[in-house]
Amino acid sequence: MKPMAHLGVGIGWRPEIADAVERLSGLDWVEVVAENVCPGHLPESLLRLRERGTRVVPHGVSLGLGGADRPDPAKLAALGERAVALGAPLVTEHIAFVRTSSPVLEAGHLLPVPRTRDALDVLCANVRIAQDALPVPLALENIAALFSWPGEELTEGQFLTELVERTGVRLLIDVANLHTNRVNRGEDPAAVLGAIPLEALAYVHVAGGIERGGVWHDTHAHPVPPVVLDLLAELRSRVEPAGVLLERDDDFPPEAELAGELAAIRAVVTAGPPAPGEAATAGSGPAGHGPGTERGNEPSAGHGTKPGTGPRPVEESVRTRVALGQAALLSALVAGTPVPEGFDRRRIRVQARALAAKRADVVAKLAPELPVILGGQDPYRAAFLSYAKSRPMTSGYRRDALDFAEDLLIRDLPADPAARRRLTTWWRDRAGARPPRRIVRWARTLAGRAA
């Protein structure tokens, strides 16, 4: 595996903090959510950063490589286009599933894949498809999770190790997610770091969160806590990462606070070399621990294919088994169906509420007129959460905003006639049609139940 190009210390570029990011001193690179930029119309701020020599890496959130279906060629092409437009040395995505095709459901969020042989086979096959389609190397991120799957066959370390051995993909390790999974799933971050091939490390994410009721929420809207910086130091004691990046997605602090968090991260990264005997440079492959090498009690690549030996096709029956499990779970989370056997029902309820709340928040950001028309954030949120209970998302957040408005209009809401006229105009301007009558809606509902 070739050594990773040095990235340094960076921050996630977001439109809300674009000016502040440009002013941050000593900033080495930025990461941008791939789906939020258009190759032909890059934000002026990103163009200025590139002109200054700041590297930009696109970070995808919608591929769903851990899903049962093969990756969408259009989404892969779009991710590749952004990598080329930004001159990126690599692209990154997540070890997660985000949708199902039967039934058609969208989570609007990254959900954990079961750490089973079937799920690993599907993930590896999907990663190879993605690698063949992308113009630059791919790295995959470990995600934060609120719950565990029943009947898992591999530890996190085993799962990630075998993924690297079978595909040659790089890893994006999020130390905040390691902490999240310590609280929520009882997993030992040090055990994960000790098991995975750190020579495959592309770079590192650092972010904040908050604990409520014994559950850690990876919010990206709170300061980085000391416990996450401690995990960064633990990783740094084992490997010199090519890059470390601060993620912040909401409730953005003053510029000085962002600069302070970056300084704290830089202090950990530059504190000193890794401990003797444990040292490795990301990508260099220390003796005896390169991809494809057995690591103590970790599984060898005999369960799959080492890079360069050719892919092993996945039987459709394997994809079907993974699809059935993911569909049952996602349906419970977003459509109110019974929780599948073996899951922690309380945690699934927490996740379901979190998904509905995220839908409400994202739709309000994409369509800020809706809370205004409905009389403020509180009545908007109450109306949207009521809608979300019976209407799972099937085609992304923009469509969700239109469907929400349509649902209100069909039910002769909002009650205020003036507000209803404004909502009708808003809906028509974006949907280009007259809201369907109740009889049409009933027919759609019946057709959906029959399917």
Side-chain angles (χ1 to χ4, degrees):
M1 186 173 286
K2 295 180 180 179
M4 263 293 298
H6 180 74
L7 292 171
V9 175
I11 192 169
W13 184 93
R14 303 294 184 264
E16 297 89 339
I17 54 172
D19 293 341
V21 168
E22 289 189 61
R23 290 191 295 264
L24 289 170
S25 61
L27 186 69
D28 299 312
W29 66 294
V30 299
E31 181 190 76
V32 61
V33 176
E35 290 81 356
N36 290 351
V37 296
C38 178
H41 303 279
L42 294 176
E44 292 294 327
S45 174
L46 282 181
L47 293 175
R48 286 192 294 269
L49 286 169
R50 286 201 62 206
E51 289 170 359
R52 282 165 33 184
T54 304
R55 290 199 174 192
V56 182
V57 173
H59 184 54
V61 297
S62 65
L63 267 183
L65 291 174
D69 295 324
R70 291 169 177 78
D72 183 341
K75 291 183 182 296
L76 284 172
L79 184 56
E81 288 171 0
R82 283 151 179 77
V84 171
L86 294 167
L90 78 165
V91 296
T92 57
E93 249 286 353
H94 300 82
I95 301 170
F97 82 100
V98 298
R99 66 182 61 85
T100 59
S101 59
S102 182
V104 177
L105 296 172
E106 288 275 348
H109 188 71
L110 303 164
L111 295 175
V113 300
R115 290 178 300 211
T116 62
R117 289 287 171 201
D118 279 355
L120 181 59
D121 284 347
V122 170
L123 174 63
C124 288
N126 288 347
V127 168
R128 294 189 196 101
I129 293 170
Q131 288 170 318
D132 289 342
L134 292 169
V136 295
L138 171 68
L140 295 180
E141 178 181 350
N142 61 306
I143 73 162
L146 283 173
F147 59 88
S148 297
W149 281 78
E152 293 193 314
E153 300 164 337
L154 301 166
T155 66
E156 178 81 343
Q158 290 170 331
F159 195 85
L160 295 179
T161 296
E162 194 161 340
L163 171 65
V164 172
E165 290 176 341
R166 291 170 59 170
T167 66
V169 75
R170 291 188 182 274
L171 297 176
L172 192 180
I173 295 299
D174 189 316
V175 290
N177 291 350
L178 292 179
H179 174 64
T180 301
N181 295 340
R182 169 167 53 193
V183 176
N184 294 349
R185 304 204 289 188
E187 296 173 357
D188 181 5
V192 176
L193 293 176
I196 62 177
L198 288 173
E199 62 275 11
L201 181 66
Y203 58 86
V204 180
H205 273 175
V206 179
I210 190 170
E211 186 172 352
R212 298 191 191 97
V215 175
W216 186 271
H217 297 269
D218 181 46
T219 63
H220 294 191
H222 292 81
V224 176
V227 67
V228 171
L229 290 177
D230 290 344
L231 284 178
L232 177 62
E234 170 72 20
L235 182 148
R236 178 65 180 86
S237 74
R238 299 168 182 267
V239 68
E240 181 179 354
V244 181
L245 183 122
L246 171 65
E247 284 190 298
R248 188 76 176 230
D249 293 323
D250 206 352
D251 197 14
F252 298 99
E255 185 175 331
E257 189 173 329
L258 286 176
E261 290 203 302
L262 284 173
I265 290 169
R266 188 175 286 107
V268 173
V269 173
T270 59
E278 295 182 339
T281 299
S284 63
H289 291 289
T293 303
E294 293 188 33
R295 301 171 61 82
N297 292 326
E298 298 293 332
S300 72
H303 293 290
T305 308
K306 297 180 184 180
T309 63
R312 183 180 71 185
V314 176
E315 296 179 2
E316 287 305 312
S317 60
V318 175
R319 286 192 182 273
T320 299
R321 287 196 296 270
V322 172
L324 290 172
Q326 291 180 348
L329 172 63
L330 186 52
S331 183
L333 288 170
V334 303
T337 59
V339 177
E341 192 68 30
F343 283 96
D344 183 323
R345 283 173 166 73
R346 185 181 73 86
R347 288 296 177 89
I348 296 301
R349 287 195 296 271
V350 171
Q351 182 71 84
R353 289 195 297 269
L355 292 179
K358 181 178 180 179
R359 282 177 69 187
D361 291 343
V362 175
V363 167
K365 286 182 178 180
L366 290 174
E369 305 88 351
L370 292 177
V372 174
I373 293 171
L374 295 178
Q377 286 291 338
D378 289 344
Y380 157 77
R381 194 172 186 84
F384 189 92
L385 293 179
S386 175
Y387 151 82
K389 288 180 181 178
S390 60
R391 292 292 302 277
M393 184 165 56
T394 60
S395 188
Y397 287 111
R398 296 188 187 280
R399 183 71 250 178
D400 206 21
L402 291 172
D403 288 346
F404 169 56
E406 177 188 305
D407 183 78
L408 291 173
L409 292 171
I410 289 170
R411 293 188 290 122
D412 290 331
L413 296 173
D416 176 47
R420 195 161 59 249
R421 285 194 296 270
R422 290 197 298 273
L423 184 61
T424 300
T425 300
W426 183 91
W427 190 90
R428 283 175 177 168
D429 287 346
R430 288 153 183 80
R434 186 180 300 276
R437 295 175 297 167
R438 287 188 184 88
I439 188 74
V440 175
R441 179 57 179 278
W442 291 337
R444 287 181 183 175
T445 301
L446 291 172
R449 289 174 181 169

